[in-house]
Amino acid sequence: MGFVAHDLGVDLGTSNTLVYVRHKGIVINEPTIVVVDSTNERRVRAVGDDAKIMLGRTTDGVMAVRPMREGVITDFDMTGILIQFFMRKAIGSSYLLRPRLFLSYPCSISAIERRAVGEAAKYAGARKVFLVEKPFAAALGCGLPVFEPNGCMVVDIGGGTADIAVISLGGVVESASIKIAGDKFDEAVIKYIRRKHNVLIGERTAEELKMTIGCVFPRPEEVTMDIKGRCLMTGLPRVFTVSSSEMIEAFEEPSTRILEAIHGVLERTPPELVADISTNGIVMTGGGSLIWGFDKLVESHTGIETHV
């Protein structure tokens, strides 16, 4: 039995939760989903990867809960259960002194919502909770000179929010947080397939499309993917092909909103820092930035070198 538990870093995201254990690295990267038994006082049936398999396949007495929506806690009890489950999975529970927790949060959330994140972590069994803004944590993790008088720009596109921040001298100088991110890209795919092909597809299929052939900038070679859905005309299953050029069309609205937010932050940033950013470039982080060509799209609109 250990005496003091390891320090933990937790990125409590809308789509995925990552847990980092000091001296070990990232040990958990699982979906932020809890499956509960609604008939038996919401008894937890599965968490994380096990819960994602059940998504869209649950029966009447069982429901899948996403305790985080657009970067904000929507179900306090479930968030506490989720953090507790991941903490125990990462380090076990046989410690006299509970772990210290380092939690990241989106720029846009209010003081009350920020307090709710800290309270959920304490409820899960953390001894002490430290909160940090997501873009600042991302910049620190990328090895950017955040404590120097030198402007750095980070665009963090997660599942629920896209956080854009200009960082200098150990603080956030200018920031914006919009609720357009990975989940909205999935919704855009579902709407586009319904409008263009008259077929209804689920969240998991939309996410698979986004990750496999999704792009926001023309690819050198077009790629296609066969998917299955329910035809809205006949009500029967249907298999059809979707191309990467169709994905650009589907993603046009959410990607434009993110570009507008980046432009807005640059407009409000002091001139000296904008000069630093044009030299240092823009750094993109988060799962949403992995959509093919996002860095090229940002670079073509801002004229600033962009890296993922």
Side-chain angles (χ1 to χ4, degrees), residues 30-36 44-52 54 78 81-86 89:
E30 294 191 23
T32 311
I33 305 170
V34 182
V35 170
V36 291
V44 177
R45 295 275 291 264
V47 180
D49 283 334
D50 297 334
K52 190 175 183 180
M54 300 181 189
M78 287 298 124
I81 288 166
L82 187 97
I83 296 171
Q84 189 178 53
F85 176 85
F86 287 143
K89 192 172 179 180

Side-chain angles (χ1 to χ4, degrees), residues 3-292:
F3 183 67
V4 182
H6 290 283
D7 290 342
L8 298 176
V10 178
D11 176 17
L12 190 64
T14 307
S15 300
N16 284 349
T17 295
L18 279 80
V19 180
Y20 173 95
V21 179
R22 198 172 189 173
H23 308 307
K24 288 185 182 177
I26 294 168
V27 292
I28 287 170
N29 181 1
E30 294 191 23
T32 311
I33 305 170
V34 182
V35 170
V36 291
D37 193 338
S38 55
T39 56
N40 186 14
E41 295 179 357
R42 301 182 82 184
R43 183 171 62 88
V44 177
R45 295 275 291 264
V47 180
D49 283 334
D50 297 334
K52 190 175 183 180
I53 296 165
M54 300 181 189
L55 207 61
R57 297 188 173 102
T58 52
T59 56
D60 285 345
V62 179
M63 63 176 181
V65 178
R66 285 188 179 269
M68 300 284 292
R69 279 278 171 199
E70 297 174 342
V72 178
I73 292 174
T74 53
D75 192 321
F76 184 84
D77 293 339
M78 287 298 124
T79 305
I81 288 166
L82 187 97
I83 296 171
Q84 189 178 53
F85 176 85
F86 287 143
M87 274 168 56
R88 287 183 177 171
K89 192 172 179 180
I91 58 168
S93 56
S94 59
Y95 292 97
L96 290 176
L97 270 180
R98 295 174 299 175
R100 291 186 301 180
L101 220 60
F102 187 86
L103 264 170
S104 61
Y105 64 90
C107 298
S108 63
I109 68 171
S110 65
I112 294 165
E113 289 164 342
R114 199 156 56 237
R115 189 178 167 188
V117 174
E119 290 295 325
K122 283 179 182 171
Y123 170 77
R127 172 170 42 116
K128 203 167 184 181
V129 181
F130 302 93
L131 296 173
V132 65
E133 287 174 310
K134 279 180 186 269
F136 189 84
L140 203 60
C142 293
L144 297 177
V146 291
F147 297 107
E148 292 176 19
N150 195 354
C152 311
M153 189 175 198
V154 176
V155 179
D156 179 27
I157 306 170
T161 58
D163 294 282
I164 301 114
V166 174
I167 297 157
S168 179
L169 284 169
V172 174
V173 179
E174 197 58 65
S175 68
S177 184
I178 57 167
K179 291 173 180 179
I180 305 285
D183 289 351
K184 294 291 181 191
F185 280 93
D186 293 345
E187 283 175 27
V189 172
I190 293 169
K191 284 178 186 171
Y192 179 82
I193 298 295
R194 186 173 187 157
R195 189 176 69 246
K196 183 90 182 277
H197 296 277
N198 270 328
V199 174
L200 191 65
I201 58 168
E203 281 180 36
R204 287 184 67 188
T205 308
E207 190 180 15
E208 197 181 332
L209 259 175
K210 176 184 76 177
M211 291 166 74
T212 311
I213 65 164
C215 57
V216 291
F217 200 77
R219 287 176 182 259
E221 287 180 18
E222 190 161 294
V223 288
T224 58
M225 181 179 166
D226 291 337
I227 59 166
K228 296 169 188 171
R230 188 177 80 229
C231 181
L232 293 166
M233 309 289 278
T234 62
L236 298 171
R238 185 179 151 201
V239 181
F240 61 103
T241 304
V242 180
S243 67
S244 56
S245 57
E246 286 181 287
M247 290 287 99
I248 296 173
E249 209 178 315
F251 291 155
E252 188 178 358
E253 191 193 338
S255 56
T256 305
R257 292 279 300 278
I258 291 169
L259 288 170
E260 285 169 0
I262 293 169
H263 195 183
V265 171
L266 283 168
E267 276 182 339
R268 298 192 301 271
T269 303
E272 293 294 336
L273 292 176
V274 172
D276 291 341
I277 292 163
S278 66
T279 307
N280 300 333
I282 297 170
V283 175
M284 296 187 75
T285 66
S289 63
L290 297 174
I291 295 174
W292 197 93

Side-chain angles (χ1 to χ4, degrees), residues 289-305:
S289 63
L290 297 174
I291 295 174
W292 197 93
F294 225 134
D295 52 338
K296 292 178 177 65
L297 184 72
V298 173
E299 199 169 311
S300 69
H301 276 72
T302 60
I304 301 168
E305 197 176 349

